[in-house]
Amino acid sequence: MPLWVFFFLILTLSIGSHCSPSPSLPLRMRRYADAIFTNSYRKVLGQLSARKLLQDIMSRQQGERNQEQGARVRLGRQVDSMWADQKQTALESILVALLQKHRGNSQG
């Protein structure tokens, strides 16, 4: 087969394939649509993952704040309790001293 016939045959086939729709064109369109969907779906999943991660971080920080506040409240309660105990002890000692003074005055 001479070379010019080969080129003519290739040229004829390539021109014919541009004029008539090829059977693989719908397959290409489906693949393109699938690729668009897959890319969009991956973006949405990435955004959802990022949002969930951000919410987890924020809830952890809020939990730590709540723990710190709870520790402060507990410490405050302990201090208040110790202060109340000290006040009660001081009042009791004052009352004992007053009673002893009162008894001493009434006896003497």
Side-chain angles (χ1 to χ4, degrees):
M1 176 149 85
L3 192 57
W4 68 272
V5 174
F6 178 72
F7 283 118
F8 181 72
L9 181 62
I10 296 294
L11 183 63
T12 305
L13 289 176
S14 67
I15 290 174
S17 68
H18 290 296
C19 293
S20 63
S22 66
S24 66
L25 186 62
L27 180 62
R28 285 183 187 168
M29 292 298 282
R30 275 188 257 142
R31 287 183 182 167
Y32 181 70
D34 286 344
I36 290 173
F37 173 78
T38 303
N39 287 338
S40 299
Y41 187 67
R42 284 182 183 163
K43 285 180 185 177
V44 168
L45 287 180
Q47 290 172 349
L48 289 175
S49 297
R51 183 178 293 163
K52 181 165 178 14
L53 178 65
L54 183 62
Q55 288 174 346
D56 288 345
I57 290 170
M58 291 174 64
S59 67
R60 284 183 196 154
Q61 288 177 347
Q62 185 63 36
E64 289 173 0
R65 286 188 200 128
N66 289 343
Q67 285 179 350
E68 288 174 5
Q69 288 175 352
R72 286 186 199 139
V73 167
R74 283 190 300 273
L75 181 61
R77 287 180 185 161
Q78 289 173 352
V79 168
D80 289 345
S81 175
M82 289 171 49
W83 180 251
D85 289 345
Q86 287 177 352
K87 287 193 321 190
Q88 184 176 358
T89 305
L91 285 174
E92 286 174 357
S93 63
I94 291 171
L95 285 175
V96 168
L98 285 173
L99 282 173
Q100 287 175 352
K101 186 177 179 183
H102 180 65
R103 286 182 186 159
N105 288 339
S106 62
Q107 288 178 356

Short mmCIF file of all heavy atoms in Angstrom, two decimals, residues 20-82:
data_model
loop_
_atom_site.label_atom_id
_atom_site.label_comp_id
_atom_site.label_asym_id
_atom_site.label_seq_id
_atom_site.Cartn_x
_atom_site.Cartn_y
_atom_site.Cartn_z
N SER A 20 -19.51 12.82 12.27
CA SER A 20 -20.56 11.99 12.86
C SER A 20 -20.24 11.76 14.34
O SER A 20 -19.08 11.61 14.70
CB SER A 20 -20.66 10.66 12.13
OG SER A 20 -19.45 9.94 12.29
N PRO A 21 -21.26 11.77 15.18
CA PRO A 21 -20.99 11.55 16.60
C PRO A 21 -20.49 10.13 16.84
O PRO A 21 -21.02 9.18 16.30
CB PRO A 21 -22.35 11.77 17.26
CG PRO A 21 -23.35 11.61 16.18
CD PRO A 21 -22.66 11.94 14.89
N SER A 22 -19.45 10.06 17.64
CA SER A 22 -18.89 8.75 17.92
C SER A 22 -19.71 8.08 19.02
O SER A 22 -20.30 8.75 19.85
CB SER A 22 -17.43 8.89 18.34
OG SER A 22 -17.35 9.55 19.58
N PRO A 23 -19.73 6.78 19.03
CA PRO A 23 -20.52 6.09 20.05
C PRO A 23 -19.94 6.27 21.47
O PRO A 23 -20.63 6.09 22.45
CB PRO A 23 -20.49 4.64 19.64
CG PRO A 23 -19.37 4.51 18.68
CD PRO A 23 -19.14 5.87 18.08
N SER A 24 -18.67 6.65 21.56
CA SER A 24 -18.06 6.80 22.89
C SER A 24 -18.32 8.19 23.48
O SER A 24 -17.98 8.43 24.62
CB SER A 24 -16.56 6.54 22.81
OG SER A 24 -15.93 7.53 22.03
N LEU A 25 -18.91 9.10 22.71
CA LEU A 25 -19.17 10.45 23.21
C LEU A 25 -20.10 10.45 24.42
O LEU A 25 -19.81 11.09 25.41
CB LEU A 25 -19.70 11.35 22.09
CG LEU A 25 -19.87 12.82 22.46
CD1 LEU A 25 -18.52 13.42 22.82
CD2 LEU A 25 -20.50 13.57 21.30
N PRO A 26 -21.22 9.73 24.41
CA PRO A 26 -22.05 9.71 25.61
C PRO A 26 -21.30 9.12 26.82
O PRO A 26 -21.50 9.56 27.93
CB PRO A 26 -23.23 8.83 25.22
CG PRO A 26 -23.32 8.92 23.74
CD PRO A 26 -21.90 9.07 23.28
N LEU A 27 -20.45 8.16 26.58
CA LEU A 27 -19.67 7.59 27.66
C LEU A 27 -18.73 8.64 28.25
O LEU A 27 -18.60 8.76 29.46
CB LEU A 27 -18.88 6.37 27.17
CG LEU A 27 -18.01 5.68 28.21
CD1 LEU A 27 -18.87 5.12 29.34
CD2 LEU A 27 -17.20 4.57 27.56
N ARG A 28 -18.14 9.45 27.36
CA ARG A 28 -17.27 10.52 27.83
C ARG A 28 -18.06 11.55 28.63
O ARG A 28 -17.59 12.05 29.67
CB ARG A 28 -16.59 11.22 26.65
CG ARG A 28 -15.49 10.43 26.03
CD ARG A 28 -14.82 11.22 24.93
NE ARG A 28 -13.86 10.39 24.22
CZ ARG A 28 -13.30 10.73 23.10
NH1 ARG A 28 -13.61 11.89 22.53
NH2 ARG A 28 -12.44 9.94 22.52
N MET A 29 -19.25 11.86 28.18
CA MET A 29 -20.08 12.82 28.90
C MET A 29 -20.45 12.27 30.29
O MET A 29 -20.45 13.01 31.26
CB MET A 29 -21.35 13.13 28.10
CG MET A 29 -21.09 13.89 26.82
SD MET A 29 -20.35 15.49 27.10
CE MET A 29 -21.80 16.38 27.60
N ARG A 30 -20.76 10.98 30.34
CA ARG A 30 -21.09 10.38 31.64
C ARG A 30 -19.88 10.42 32.57
O ARG A 30 -20.00 10.73 33.75
CB ARG A 30 -21.56 8.94 31.46
CG ARG A 30 -23.04 8.86 31.14
CD ARG A 30 -23.53 7.45 31.15
NE ARG A 30 -23.66 7.07 29.74
CZ ARG A 30 -23.37 5.89 29.23
NH1 ARG A 30 -22.93 4.93 29.99
NH2 ARG A 30 -23.52 5.65 27.96
N ARG A 31 -18.72 10.12 32.02
CA ARG A 31 -17.50 10.17 32.83
C ARG A 31 -17.24 11.59 33.32
O ARG A 31 -16.84 11.80 34.47
CB ARG A 31 -16.31 9.65 32.04
CG ARG A 31 -16.30 8.17 31.85
CD ARG A 31 -15.07 7.74 31.12
NE ARG A 31 -15.08 6.32 30.88
CZ ARG A 31 -14.25 5.71 30.05
NH1 ARG A 31 -13.35 6.42 29.39
NH2 ARG A 31 -14.30 4.41 29.88
N TYR A 32 -17.45 12.57 32.44
CA TYR A 32 -17.25 13.97 32.82
C TYR A 32 -18.24 14.36 33.92
O TYR A 32 -17.87 14.99 34.91
CB TYR A 32 -17.43 14.84 31.58
CG TYR A 32 -17.23 16.31 31.83
CD1 TYR A 32 -15.96 16.81 32.12
CD2 TYR A 32 -18.30 17.19 31.80
CE1 TYR A 32 -15.77 18.16 32.36
CE2 TYR A 32 -18.12 18.53 32.04
CZ TYR A 32 -16.85 19.01 32.31
OH TYR A 32 -16.67 20.35 32.55
N ALA A 33 -19.49 13.96 33.75
CA ALA A 33 -20.50 14.27 34.77
C ALA A 33 -20.15 13.57 36.09
O ALA A 33 -20.30 14.16 37.17
CB ALA A 33 -21.88 13.84 34.28
N ASP A 34 -19.69 12.33 36.01
CA ASP A 34 -19.28 11.62 37.22
C ASP A 34 -18.11 12.31 37.90
O ASP A 34 -18.07 12.41 39.13
CB ASP A 34 -18.90 10.17 36.90
CG ASP A 34 -20.10 9.29 36.60
OD1 ASP A 34 -21.23 9.71 36.94
OD2 ASP A 34 -19.91 8.19 36.05
N ALA A 35 -17.18 12.80 37.11
CA ALA A 35 -16.02 13.50 37.68
C ALA A 35 -16.45 14.78 38.37
O ALA A 35 -15.97 15.10 39.46
CB ALA A 35 -14.99 13.79 36.58
N ILE A 36 -17.37 15.52 37.74
CA ILE A 36 -17.87 16.75 38.36
C ILE A 36 -18.57 16.42 39.67
O ILE A 36 -18.34 17.07 40.70
CB ILE A 36 -18.81 17.50 37.40
CG1 ILE A 36 -18.01 18.07 36.22
CG2 ILE A 36 -19.56 18.60 38.12
CD1 ILE A 36 -18.88 18.68 35.16
N PHE A 37 -19.43 15.40 39.64
CA PHE A 37 -20.14 15.01 40.86
C PHE A 37 -19.16 14.58 41.95
O PHE A 37 -19.28 14.98 43.11
CB PHE A 37 -21.12 13.88 40.56
CG PHE A 37 -21.76 13.32 41.80
CD1 PHE A 37 -22.79 14.00 42.41
CD2 PHE A 37 -21.32 12.13 42.35
CE1 PHE A 37 -23.38 13.51 43.55
CE2 PHE A 37 -21.91 11.63 43.49
CZ PHE A 37 -22.93 12.31 44.10
N THR A 38 -18.18 13.75 41.59
CA THR A 38 -17.21 13.25 42.56
C THR A 38 -16.42 14.40 43.18
O THR A 38 -16.23 14.44 44.40
CB THR A 38 -16.26 12.24 41.90
OG1 THR A 38 -17.04 11.18 41.33
CG2 THR A 38 -15.28 11.66 42.89
N ASN A 39 -15.98 15.32 42.36
CA ASN A 39 -15.23 16.47 42.89
C ASN A 39 -16.10 17.31 43.83
O ASN A 39 -15.64 17.72 44.90
CB ASN A 39 -14.69 17.34 41.75
CG ASN A 39 -13.54 16.68 41.03
OD1 ASN A 39 -12.88 15.80 41.57
ND2 ASN A 39 -13.30 17.11 39.81
N SER A 40 -17.32 17.56 43.42
CA SER A 40 -18.22 18.35 44.28
C SER A 40 -18.51 17.61 45.57
O SER A 40 -18.53 18.21 46.65
CB SER A 40 -19.53 18.64 43.55
OG SER A 40 -19.27 19.39 42.38
N TYR A 41 -18.73 16.31 45.47
CA TYR A 41 -19.01 15.50 46.65
C TYR A 41 -17.82 15.50 47.60
O TYR A 41 -17.99 15.63 48.82
CB TYR A 41 -19.36 14.08 46.21
CG TYR A 41 -19.84 13.18 47.31
CD1 TYR A 41 -21.06 13.42 47.93
CD2 TYR A 41 -19.09 12.09 47.71
CE1 TYR A 41 -21.52 12.59 48.94
CE2 TYR A 41 -19.54 11.26 48.72
CZ TYR A 41 -20.75 11.52 49.33
OH TYR A 41 -21.19 10.70 50.33
N ARG A 42 -16.62 15.40 47.06
CA ARG A 42 -15.42 15.44 47.90
C ARG A 42 -15.28 16.80 48.60
O ARG A 42 -14.89 16.86 49.76
CB ARG A 42 -14.17 15.17 47.07
CG ARG A 42 -14.01 13.72 46.72
CD ARG A 42 -12.75 13.49 45.94
NE ARG A 42 -12.64 12.10 45.55
CZ ARG A 42 -11.84 11.65 44.61
NH1 ARG A 42 -11.05 12.49 43.97
NH2 ARG A 42 -11.80 10.37 44.31
N LYS A 43 -15.60 17.86 47.89
CA LYS A 43 -15.55 19.19 48.52
C LYS A 43 -16.53 19.29 49.68
O LYS A 43 -16.20 19.80 50.75
CB LYS A 43 -15.85 20.28 47.49
CG LYS A 43 -14.72 20.54 46.53
CD LYS A 43 -15.10 21.63 45.54
CE LYS A 43 -14.04 21.83 44.50
NZ LYS A 43 -14.42 22.83 43.50
N VAL A 44 -17.74 18.80 49.45
CA VAL A 44 -18.76 18.84 50.51
C VAL A 44 -18.31 18.00 51.70
O VAL A 44 -18.43 18.43 52.85
CB VAL A 44 -20.13 18.36 49.97
CG1 VAL A 44 -21.12 18.13 51.09
CG2 VAL A 44 -20.68 19.36 48.98
N LEU A 45 -17.80 16.80 51.43
CA LEU A 45 -17.32 15.95 52.53
C LEU A 45 -16.17 16.62 53.27
O LEU A 45 -16.09 16.55 54.50
CB LEU A 45 -16.88 14.59 52.00
CG LEU A 45 -17.99 13.64 51.57
CD1 LEU A 45 -17.39 12.33 51.07
CD2 LEU A 45 -18.94 13.36 52.71
N GLY A 46 -15.28 17.28 52.54
CA GLY A 46 -14.18 18.00 53.18
C GLY A 46 -14.68 19.12 54.06
O GLY A 46 -14.18 19.33 55.17
N GLN A 47 -15.68 19.86 53.57
CA GLN A 47 -16.26 20.94 54.37
C GLN A 47 -16.94 20.40 55.62
O GLN A 47 -16.82 20.96 56.70
CB GLN A 47 -17.25 21.75 53.54
CG GLN A 47 -16.58 22.58 52.46
CD GLN A 47 -17.59 23.23 51.53
OE1 GLN A 47 -18.77 22.92 51.56
NE2 GLN A 47 -17.11 24.13 50.68
N LEU A 48 -17.66 19.28 55.47
CA LEU A 48 -18.32 18.68 56.63
C LEU A 48 -17.30 18.19 57.65
O LEU A 48 -17.48 18.37 58.86
CB LEU A 48 -19.22 17.52 56.19
CG LEU A 48 -20.49 17.91 55.44
CD1 LEU A 48 -21.22 16.65 54.95
CD2 LEU A 48 -21.40 18.72 56.33
N SER A 49 -16.21 17.59 57.16
CA SER A 49 -15.17 17.13 58.07
C SER A 49 -14.52 18.30 58.80
O SER A 49 -14.27 18.23 60.01
CB SER A 49 -14.10 16.35 57.30
OG SER A 49 -14.64 15.20 56.72
N ALA A 50 -14.26 19.37 58.07
CA ALA A 50 -13.66 20.56 58.69
C ALA A 50 -14.60 21.15 59.72
O ALA A 50 -14.18 21.55 60.81
CB ALA A 50 -13.31 21.59 57.61
N ARG A 51 -15.89 21.21 59.40
CA ARG A 51 -16.87 21.76 60.34
C ARG A 51 -16.95 20.90 61.60
O ARG A 51 -16.98 21.42 62.71
CB ARG A 51 -18.24 21.83 59.67
CG ARG A 51 -19.31 22.45 60.56
CD ARG A 51 -20.63 22.56 59.87
NE ARG A 51 -20.51 23.53 58.78
CZ ARG A 51 -21.37 23.64 57.79
NH1 ARG A 51 -22.41 22.84 57.73
NH2 ARG A 51 -21.21 24.54 56.85
N LYS A 52 -16.95 19.57 61.43
CA LYS A 52 -17.01 18.68 62.59
C LYS A 52 -15.75 18.82 63.44
O LYS A 52 -15.84 18.87 64.67
CB LYS A 52 -17.17 17.23 62.15
CG LYS A 52 -17.27 16.27 63.32
CD LYS A 52 -17.79 14.94 62.89
CE LYS A 52 -17.86 13.92 63.99
NZ LYS A 52 -17.74 14.34 65.33
N LEU A 53 -14.61 18.92 62.80
CA LEU A 53 -13.36 19.11 63.55
C LEU A 53 -13.39 20.41 64.33
O LEU A 53 -13.02 20.45 65.50
CB LEU A 53 -12.16 19.10 62.58
CG LEU A 53 -10.80 19.32 63.20
CD1 LEU A 53 -10.44 18.18 64.15
CD2 LEU A 53 -9.74 19.45 62.11
N LEU A 54 -13.86 21.47 63.71
CA LEU A 54 -13.96 22.76 64.38
C LEU A 54 -14.92 22.69 65.57
O LEU A 54 -14.63 23.21 66.64
CB LEU A 54 -14.40 23.84 63.39
CG LEU A 54 -14.48 25.26 63.92
CD1 LEU A 54 -13.11 25.73 64.38
CD2 LEU A 54 -15.01 26.18 62.84
N GLN A 55 -16.05 22.02 65.38
CA GLN A 55 -17.00 21.88 66.48
C GLN A 55 -16.40 21.06 67.62
O GLN A 55 -16.61 21.38 68.79
CB GLN A 55 -18.28 21.22 65.98
CG GLN A 55 -19.13 22.12 65.12
CD GLN A 55 -20.33 21.41 64.52
OE1 GLN A 55 -20.41 20.19 64.53
NE2 GLN A 55 -21.26 22.18 63.96
N ASP A 56 -15.64 20.00 67.29
CA ASP A 56 -14.99 19.20 68.33
C ASP A 56 -13.99 20.04 69.11
O ASP A 56 -13.94 19.97 70.34
CB ASP A 56 -14.28 17.99 67.71
CG ASP A 56 -15.25 16.92 67.23
OD1 ASP A 56 -16.44 16.98 67.61
OD2 ASP A 56 -14.80 16.03 66.48
N ILE A 57 -13.20 20.83 68.40
CA ILE A 57 -12.21 21.68 69.06
C ILE A 57 -12.90 22.69 69.97
O ILE A 57 -12.50 22.89 71.12
CB ILE A 57 -11.32 22.39 68.02
CG1 ILE A 57 -10.40 21.38 67.33
CG2 ILE A 57 -10.51 23.51 68.66
CD1 ILE A 57 -9.65 21.94 66.14
N MET A 58 -13.97 23.30 69.47
CA MET A 58 -14.69 24.29 70.26
C MET A 58 -15.34 23.65 71.49
O MET A 58 -15.33 24.22 72.58
CB MET A 58 -15.73 25.00 69.40
CG MET A 58 -15.11 25.91 68.36
SD MET A 58 -16.30 26.62 67.22
CE MET A 58 -17.28 27.61 68.31
N SER A 59 -15.89 22.45 71.33
CA SER A 59 -16.53 21.80 72.48
C SER A 59 -15.48 21.38 73.50
O SER A 59 -15.73 21.44 74.71
CB SER A 59 -17.36 20.60 72.03
OG SER A 59 -16.53 19.58 71.51
N ARG A 60 -14.30 20.96 73.04
CA ARG A 60 -13.22 20.64 73.99
C ARG A 60 -12.81 21.87 74.77
O ARG A 60 -12.61 21.80 75.99
CB ARG A 60 -12.01 20.08 73.24
CG ARG A 60 -12.18 18.67 72.79
CD ARG A 60 -10.93 18.16 72.14
NE ARG A 60 -11.22 16.96 71.38
CZ ARG A 60 -10.52 16.54 70.34
NH1 ARG A 60 -9.48 17.24 69.94
NH2 ARG A 60 -10.85 15.44 69.72
N GLN A 61 -12.66 22.99 74.07
CA GLN A 61 -12.28 24.22 74.75
C GLN A 61 -13.36 24.63 75.75
O GLN A 61 -13.06 25.05 76.86
CB GLN A 61 -12.04 25.35 73.75
CG GLN A 61 -10.77 25.19 72.95
CD GLN A 61 -10.60 26.29 71.91
OE1 GLN A 61 -11.52 27.04 71.61
NE2 GLN A 61 -9.41 26.38 71.34
N GLN A 62 -14.61 24.49 75.34
CA GLN A 62 -15.71 24.83 76.25
C GLN A 62 -15.71 23.89 77.45
O GLN A 62 -15.94 24.32 78.57
CB GLN A 62 -17.06 24.76 75.51
CG GLN A 62 -18.23 25.21 76.35
CD GLN A 62 -18.12 26.68 76.73
OE1 GLN A 62 -17.64 27.50 75.96
NE2 GLN A 62 -18.57 27.00 77.91
N GLY A 63 -15.42 22.61 77.21
CA GLY A 63 -15.35 21.65 78.30
C GLY A 63 -14.23 21.98 79.27
O GLY A 63 -14.39 21.88 80.49
N GLU A 64 -13.08 22.40 78.71
CA GLU A 64 -11.96 22.80 79.57
C GLU A 64 -12.33 24.03 80.39
O GLU A 64 -12.01 24.11 81.57
CB GLU A 64 -10.71 23.07 78.73
CG GLU A 64 -10.10 21.82 78.14
CD GLU A 64 -8.96 22.12 77.18
OE1 GLU A 64 -8.64 23.31 76.97
OE2 GLU A 64 -8.40 21.15 76.64
N ARG A 65 -13.01 24.98 79.75
CA ARG A 65 -13.45 26.17 80.49
C ARG A 65 -14.41 25.79 81.60
O ARG A 65 -14.32 26.31 82.72
CB ARG A 65 -14.13 27.16 79.54
CG ARG A 65 -13.18 27.90 78.64
CD ARG A 65 -13.91 29.00 77.87
NE ARG A 65 -13.12 29.36 76.71
CZ ARG A 65 -13.57 29.40 75.48
NH1 ARG A 65 -14.83 29.15 75.22
NH2 ARG A 65 -12.78 29.72 74.48
N ASN A 66 -15.34 24.89 81.28
CA ASN A 66 -16.29 24.45 82.30
C ASN A 66 -15.57 23.74 83.44
O ASN A 66 -15.94 23.92 84.61
CB ASN A 66 -17.35 23.53 81.69
CG ASN A 66 -18.30 24.27 80.79
OD1 ASN A 66 -18.40 25.49 80.84
ND2 ASN A 66 -19.01 23.54 79.94
N GLN A 67 -14.55 22.94 83.11
CA GLN A 67 -13.80 22.26 84.16
C GLN A 67 -13.06 23.27 85.03
O GLN A 67 -13.01 23.14 86.25
CB GLN A 67 -12.80 21.27 83.55
CG GLN A 67 -13.44 20.00 83.03
CD GLN A 67 -12.42 19.06 82.41
OE1 GLN A 67 -11.27 19.42 82.21
NE2 GLN A 67 -12.85 17.85 82.13
N GLU A 68 -12.46 24.28 84.37
CA GLU A 68 -11.75 25.31 85.14
C GLU A 68 -12.73 26.06 86.04
O GLU A 68 -12.43 26.32 87.21
CB GLU A 68 -11.06 26.29 84.19
CG GLU A 68 -9.86 25.73 83.47
CD GLU A 68 -9.29 26.70 82.44
OE1 GLU A 68 -9.78 27.84 82.34
OE2 GLU A 68 -8.36 26.30 81.72
N GLN A 69 -13.89 26.40 85.49
CA GLN A 69 -14.89 27.11 86.30
C GLN A 69 -15.38 26.21 87.44
O GLN A 69 -15.57 26.68 88.56
CB GLN A 69 -16.06 27.55 85.43
CG GLN A 69 -15.71 28.70 84.51
CD GLN A 69 -16.86 29.05 83.56
OE1 GLN A 69 -17.85 28.34 83.50
NE2 GLN A 69 -16.71 30.13 82.82
N GLY A 70 -15.56 24.94 87.14
CA GLY A 70 -15.98 24.00 88.18
C GLY A 70 -14.93 23.88 89.26
O GLY A 70 -15.25 23.83 90.46
N ALA A 71 -13.65 23.85 88.86
CA ALA A 71 -12.57 23.78 89.84
C ALA A 71 -12.55 25.06 90.69
O ALA A 71 -12.34 24.99 91.91
CB ALA A 71 -11.23 23.58 89.14
N ARG A 72 -12.77 26.20 90.05
CA ARG A 72 -12.80 27.45 90.80
C ARG A 72 -13.97 27.47 91.80
O ARG A 72 -13.82 27.90 92.94
CB ARG A 72 -12.95 28.64 89.85
CG ARG A 72 -11.70 28.96 89.09
CD ARG A 72 -11.86 30.22 88.27
NE ARG A 72 -10.86 30.28 87.24
CZ ARG A 72 -11.07 30.67 86.00
NH1 ARG A 72 -12.26 31.08 85.63
NH2 ARG A 72 -10.09 30.68 85.11
N VAL A 73 -15.12 26.97 91.35
CA VAL A 73 -16.29 26.94 92.23
C VAL A 73 -16.02 26.00 93.41
O VAL A 73 -16.31 26.33 94.56
CB VAL A 73 -17.55 26.50 91.45
CG1 VAL A 73 -18.69 26.16 92.37
CG2 VAL A 73 -17.96 27.60 90.47
N ARG A 74 -15.45 24.82 93.11
CA ARG A 74 -15.14 23.88 94.19
C ARG A 74 -14.13 24.47 95.14
O ARG A 74 -14.27 24.36 96.37
CB ARG A 74 -14.62 22.56 93.61
CG ARG A 74 -15.70 21.67 93.04
CD ARG A 74 -15.17 20.29 92.71
NE ARG A 74 -14.09 20.30 91.74
CZ ARG A 74 -14.27 20.27 90.42
NH1 ARG A 74 -15.48 20.23 89.92
NH2 ARG A 74 -13.23 20.28 89.61
N LEU A 75 -13.09 25.11 94.59
CA LEU A 75 -12.09 25.74 95.45
C LEU A 75 -12.73 26.84 96.28
O LEU A 75 -12.45 26.97 97.48
CB LEU A 75 -10.95 26.31 94.60
CG LEU A 75 -9.81 26.99 95.35
CD1 LEU A 75 -9.13 25.98 96.28
CD2 LEU A 75 -8.81 27.59 94.39
N GLY A 76 -13.59 27.63 95.66
CA GLY A 76 -14.29 28.68 96.38
C GLY A 76 -15.15 28.12 97.50
O GLY A 76 -15.18 28.67 98.60
N ARG A 77 -15.82 27.01 97.21
CA ARG A 77 -16.64 26.38 98.25
C ARG A 77 -15.77 25.87 99.40
O ARG A 77 -16.14 25.98 100.56
CB ARG A 77 -17.46 25.23 97.66
CG ARG A 77 -18.60 25.70 96.78
CD ARG A 77 -19.36 24.54 96.22
NE ARG A 77 -20.37 25.00 95.29
CZ ARG A 77 -20.94 24.24 94.38
NH1 ARG A 77 -20.60 22.96 94.29
NH2 ARG A 77 -21.85 24.72 93.56
N GLN A 78 -14.63 25.28 99.03
CA GLN A 78 -13.73 24.79 100.07
C GLN A 78 -13.20 25.93 100.93
O GLN A 78 -13.15 25.83 102.15
CB GLN A 78 -12.55 24.02 99.44
CG GLN A 78 -12.95 22.69 98.85
CD GLN A 78 -11.81 22.04 98.09
OE1 GLN A 78 -10.76 22.65 97.87
NE2 GLN A 78 -12.00 20.80 97.68
N VAL A 79 -12.84 27.03 100.26
CA VAL A 79 -12.35 28.20 101.00
C VAL A 79 -13.46 28.75 101.89
O VAL A 79 -13.23 29.08 103.06
CB VAL A 79 -11.81 29.28 100.03
CG1 VAL A 79 -11.58 30.60 100.74
CG2 VAL A 79 -10.53 28.79 99.37
N ASP A 80 -14.68 28.84 101.33
CA ASP A 80 -15.81 29.32 102.12
C ASP A 80 -16.06 28.42 103.32
O ASP A 80 -16.32 28.89 104.43
CB ASP A 80 -17.07 29.41 101.26
CG ASP A 80 -17.02 30.53 100.25
OD1 ASP A 80 -16.14 31.42 100.38
OD2 ASP A 80 -17.84 30.52 99.30
N SER A 81 -15.96 27.12 103.10
CA SER A 81 -16.18 26.18 104.18
C SER A 81 -15.10 26.33 105.25
O SER A 81 -15.40 26.33 106.45
CB SER A 81 -16.17 24.76 103.63
OG SER A 81 -16.26 23.81 104.67
N MET A 82 -13.84 26.46 104.80
CA MET A 82 -12.75 26.64 105.77
C MET A 82 -12.94 27.95 106.53
O MET A 82 -12.74 28.02 107.74
CB MET A 82 -11.40 26.63 105.05
CG MET A 82 -11.00 25.27 104.53
SD MET A 82 -9.55 25.27 103.46
CE MET A 82 -8.38 26.20 104.36
#
